[in-house]
């Protein structure tokens, strides 16, 4: 699933910077982009697979919502041993799913099969779920839409089901916020991005990717009904947490 196509989408000065979208241009460079932009990305993907292996139940469904090229889906499939467990991978970007499908056709079959669905995650039913993954997905939804989606997920989860969420975080303390942003930019520079690339990408994501604090996520999830929600990974302002039903 790796790609040698380097992300250079913002390497030249752009007179007008459009809002970020998951189009064909992004799809071509996405594996390189996310590896060099999200600290700890591969660790998160590996752990999602391990968590799915622990929480997947016999005769249930695991959902990968906002699946992009399917990294989390493949990690889940590799680790799931539950019988008759099915993975549904959902994304509203047809170019993403088109490339995901190519990866799927060349991958080895394992016990859990994967169905691809091109749709908005707000529009699909969540039913008979033992695991639901939102891997850097919720942050792209309007703030007003997030609680409704999470409520739907909660009601679609089986008892003892798990919701795994990875997000870019915001911080209440201004010093922490500034420091975490600076550290993320330093990480990106260490991965070969220039100041101009970092600045132009940040402009493209403004008002598209809207981060919240972990406390906001935790409060919302527990108010919906999840019995607990705890961080299991954080690297600067990127984190992953798990909510249990």
């Amino acid at each position: 699933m790796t790609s040698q196509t380097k992300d250079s989408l913002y390497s030249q000065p752009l007179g007008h910077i459009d809002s970020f979208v998951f189009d064909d241009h992004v799809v071509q460079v996405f594996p390189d982009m996310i590896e060099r932009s999200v600290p700890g990305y591969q660790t998160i993907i590996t752990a999602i697979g391990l968590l799915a292996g622990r929480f997947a139940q016999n005769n249930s469904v695991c959902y990968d919502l906002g699946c992009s090229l399917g990294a989390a889906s493949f990690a889940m499939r590799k680790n799931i041993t539950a019988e008759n467990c099915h993975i549904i991978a959902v994304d509203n970007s047809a170019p993403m799913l088109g490339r995901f499908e190519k990866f799927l056709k060349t991958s080895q079959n394992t016990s859990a099969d994967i169905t691809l669905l091109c749709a908005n995650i707000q529009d699909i039913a969540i039913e008979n779920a033992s695991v639901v993954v939102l891997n850097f997905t919720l942050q792209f939804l309007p703030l007003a839409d997030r609680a409704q989606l999470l409520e739907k997920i909660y009601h679609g989860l089986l008892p003892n089901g798990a919701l795994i969420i990875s997000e870019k975080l915001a911080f209440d303390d201004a010093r922490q916020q500034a420091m975490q942003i600076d550290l993320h930019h330093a990480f990106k520079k260490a991965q070969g991005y220039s100041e101009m690339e970092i600045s132009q990408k940040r402009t493209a994501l403004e008002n598209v990717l809207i981060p919240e604090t972990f406390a906001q996520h935790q409060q919302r999830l527990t108010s919906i009904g999840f019995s607990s929600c705890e961080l299991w990974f954080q690297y600067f302002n990127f984190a992953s947490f798990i909510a249990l039903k």
Side-chain angles (χ1 to χ4, degrees), residues 186-203:
F187 171 86
K188 294 182 78 171
K189 289 177 189 175
Q191 305 304 311
Y193 284 116
S194 67
E195 291 274 8
M196 181 177 64
E197 287 177 291
I198 293 169
S199 176
Q200 293 190 142
K201 176 75 172 296
R202 186 176 184 182
T203 298

Side-chain angles (χ1 to χ4, degrees), residues 55-65 76 80 82-90 113 115 124-133 156-158 161-162:
F55 286 98
Q57 301 177 30
N58 293 340
N59 306 307
S60 72
V61 181
C62 296
Y63 290 86
D64 183 3
L65 303 180
M76 287 195 286
I80 289 172
E83 295 181 0
N84 193 30
C85 189
H86 182 68
I87 298 168
I88 297 178
V90 187
D113 60 340
T115 297
I124 69 162
I126 304 295
E127 299 173 328
N128 192 39
S130 55
V131 177
V132 177
V133 174
L157 274 168
L158 296 167

Side-chain angles (χ1 to χ4, degrees), residues 38 53 124 151 177 209-210:
V38 177
I124 69 162
E151 287 172 359
Q177 177 73 3
L209 190 165
I210 303 173

Side-chain angles (χ1 to χ4, degrees), residues 51 54-57 129-131 154 157-163 226-227 242-245:
L51 289 167
R54 179 184 179 90
F55 286 98
Q57 301 177 30
S130 55
V131 177
Y154 176 81
L157 274 168
L158 296 167
N160 301 312
L163 168 61
F226 286 93
S227 61
I242 183 168
L244 304 178
K245 183 171 181 179

Side-chain angles (χ1 to χ4, degrees), residues 76-216:
M76 287 195 286
R77 188 175 72 167
K78 180 180 178 181
N79 288 274
I80 289 172
T81 57
E83 295 181 0
N84 193 30
C85 189
H86 182 68
I87 298 168
I88 297 178
V90 187
D91 205 289
N92 64 359
S93 170
M96 281 287 188
L97 287 183
R99 195 166 186 201
F100 186 169
E101 188 172 24
K102 291 180 181 178
F103 291 142
L104 194 58
K105 288 179 178 178
T106 59
S107 67
Q108 293 182 343
N109 291 327
T110 57
S111 58
D113 60 340
I114 301 174
T115 297
L116 307 188
L117 181 60
C118 188
N120 290 323
I121 59 175
Q122 300 101 309
D123 297 335
I124 69 162
I126 304 295
E127 299 173 328
N128 192 39
S130 55
V131 177
V132 177
V133 174
L134 287 164
N135 195 43
F136 301 107
T137 299
L138 193 66
Q139 61 196 19
F140 289 103
L141 293 186
L143 290 169
D145 294 347
R146 297 179 185 183
Q148 185 177 13
L149 172 66
L150 294 170
E151 287 172 359
K152 179 173 70 171
I153 291 170
Y154 176 81
H155 291 297
L157 274 168
L158 296 167
N160 301 312
L163 168 61
I164 303 163
I165 303 179
S166 308
E167 289 277 289
K168 185 178 184 179
L169 294 181
F171 299 85
D172 287 323
D173 183 83
R175 293 178 302 165
Q176 287 281 357
Q177 177 73 3
M179 180 189 70
Q180 298 288 352
I181 290 173
D182 287 346
L183 288 169
H184 180 220
H185 290 175
F187 171 86
K188 294 182 78 171
K189 289 177 189 175
Q191 305 304 311
Y193 284 116
S194 67
E195 291 274 8
M196 181 177 64
E197 287 177 291
I198 293 169
S199 176
Q200 293 190 142
K201 176 75 172 296
R202 186 176 184 182
T203 298
L205 285 169
E206 190 174 0
N207 299 320
V208 174
L209 190 165
I210 303 173
E212 298 178 274
T213 67
F214 175 65
Q216 288 174 307

